[in-house]
Amino acid sequence: MAVGTVLVTGGTGYIGSFTTLALLENGYDVVIVDSLYNSSQVAVDRIELICGKRPVFYQVDITDEAALDAVFAKHPEIDSVIHFAALKAVGESGEIPLEYYRVNVGGSISLLRCMERHNVSNIVFSSSATVYGDATRVPNMIPIPEHCPIGPTNTYGRTKVMIETVITDHIEAQRRNNQKAGKPYDHWNGALLRYFNPCGAHPSGIMGEDPQGVPYNLLPLLGKVATGEREKLQVFGDDYPSRDGTAIRDYIHVLDLASGHLAALNYLREHKPGVKAWNLGSGRGSTVFEMIKAFSKVVGRDLPYQVVERRLGDVLDLTANPALANKELKWKTQLTLEDACADLWRWVKNNPKGYRQEPPAELLEA
Ligand code: NAD
Ligand code: WQD
């Protein structure tokens, strides 16, 4: 019998597909809802190829509350939700803010309403380190702890802060109402997981990030330079006050991130803490130049780059202090930057068209 059944919104997306895999590998059943706005249903096949179990999949938009409700009604065994579905392009969020608030905030409210109607009371939410904004504006906040003041610098980040607030208000109200009704233990629980910079792919080389649009994150772009799809990487600024002048990020392997979700879900089920935020990062910061070097090493040659102006809205340093998650969730990253680079390169090199092509037979047989 399954340990539990988890509804995963955005489960065919990058982080959602890896978390679905981790859940299935650890005895959970999974029901995915995803609109396929930024992903492919092929991810479901790859999950099954790797672990031998298939999640249930529905093509549902989370802003369609009736359709979402029907999924809960059809699966009364759902006892928890991991909520990934969102729009996530920082630049685009400033151009079409209403759409970002409608999908990210509106979709989350619909989801919470469905959960309430169907008595599902555990939610793990995909937040982001972007909620902290420029943490260097506050003294002594690098590496960034959860109590670092929030201060997002873009619309996407503000949607994440709003959803954190909606979830927190809802859960605290539920607790108060249950206490009044004499049911103090019958309350909701929420994990607000603030991820730093997810990267990497599955070591099998058959599962990885396959966005529908043009990538804008550092490692996927380095992958395109390595395959020759792009001539060179543009380095956004080498005049930051860092060890080599380029900005610092905390890159976390997507497999470690997925296991962080499992740890958070198990913690909610065992400890019923109410609502709480945890950073999911390695605690180790790397500069852009260090990333170019690490990726060039696995590719086996120097990758061309050119230093250009700083990118608008970028900050100097986003390195996590993951001590709280290490202690409470008994979780910490296991994989290195080198693992992430090697796994990403295996994925990119073998699947230049992502899920739009079959992987090489030798990888499928392995
Ligand atoms: P992704 O785009 O690969 O996954 C998101 C999934 O949600 C996609 O499969 C997409 O089709 C789906 N989706 C979008 N709108 C939907 C809707 N209205 N209804 C149903 N499904 C919808 O992105 P990801 O990198 O896997 O990110 C997952 C979550 O983690 C997002 O909430 C994102 O904001 C958050 N996050 C991502 C990063 C990152 O760098 N990748 C960092 C921090 C937080
Ligand atoms: C990393 C570093 C760039 C591209 C974004 C979102 C954040 C989160 C993760 C969702 C930066 C530099 C990049 C390039 C470069 N997503 N860079 N040349 O900006 O840290 O975070 O993704 O929640 O909210 O903002 O990630 O991968 O874009 O950049 O020099 O072509 O690489 O300046 O220092 P970022 P990134």
Side-chain angles (χ1 to χ4, degrees), residues 152-202:
T153 56
N154 57 66
T155 300
Y156 163 74
R158 283 187 281 275
T159 71
K160 291 292 178 191
V161 173
M162 278 187 198
I163 303 164
E164 285 198 1
T165 309
V166 169
I167 292 173
T168 303
D169 282 353
H170 177 65
I171 289 180
E172 287 178 352
Q174 290 286 336
R175 278 174 87 98
R176 284 194 301 273
N177 295 344
N178 281 338
Q179 236 134 26
K180 269 193 224 147
K183 299 188 292 181
Y185 299 110
D186 193 13
H187 62 67
W188 280 58
N189 299 289
L192 312 174
L193 301 183
R194 297 175 180 159
Y195 324 149
F196 283 66
N197 286 58
C199 63
H202 196 269

Side-chain angles (χ1 to χ4, degrees), residues 20-21 24-25 46-55:
T20 296
L21 179 65
L24 292 170
E25 286 174 337
R46 300 295 167 86
I47 291 167
E48 188 180 11
L49 265 174
I50 291 171
C51 74
K53 292 186 194 163
R54 193 172 178 85

Side-chain angles (χ1 to χ4, degrees), residues 13-15 34-35 37-39 61-62 84 88 127 156 160:
Y14 177 41
I15 307 167
D34 197 302
S35 65
Y37 173 81
N38 193 36
S39 56
D61 192 307
I62 56 161
F84 294 100
K88 62 158 191 176
S127 190
Y156 163 74
K160 291 292 178 191

Side-chain angles (χ1 to χ4, degrees), residues 137-153:
R137 75 193 188 281
V138 194
N140 306 319
M141 286 292 165
I142 303 286
I144 305 172
E146 289 80 357
H147 62 262
C148 175
I150 294 300
T153 56

Side-chain angles (χ1 to χ4, degrees), residues 90-91 153-154 236 240 309-315:
V90 172
T153 56
N154 57 66
F236 297 140
Y240 285 98
E309 289 291 288
R310 287 185 185 192
R311 183 172 62 180
L312 196 71
D314 270 354
V315 298

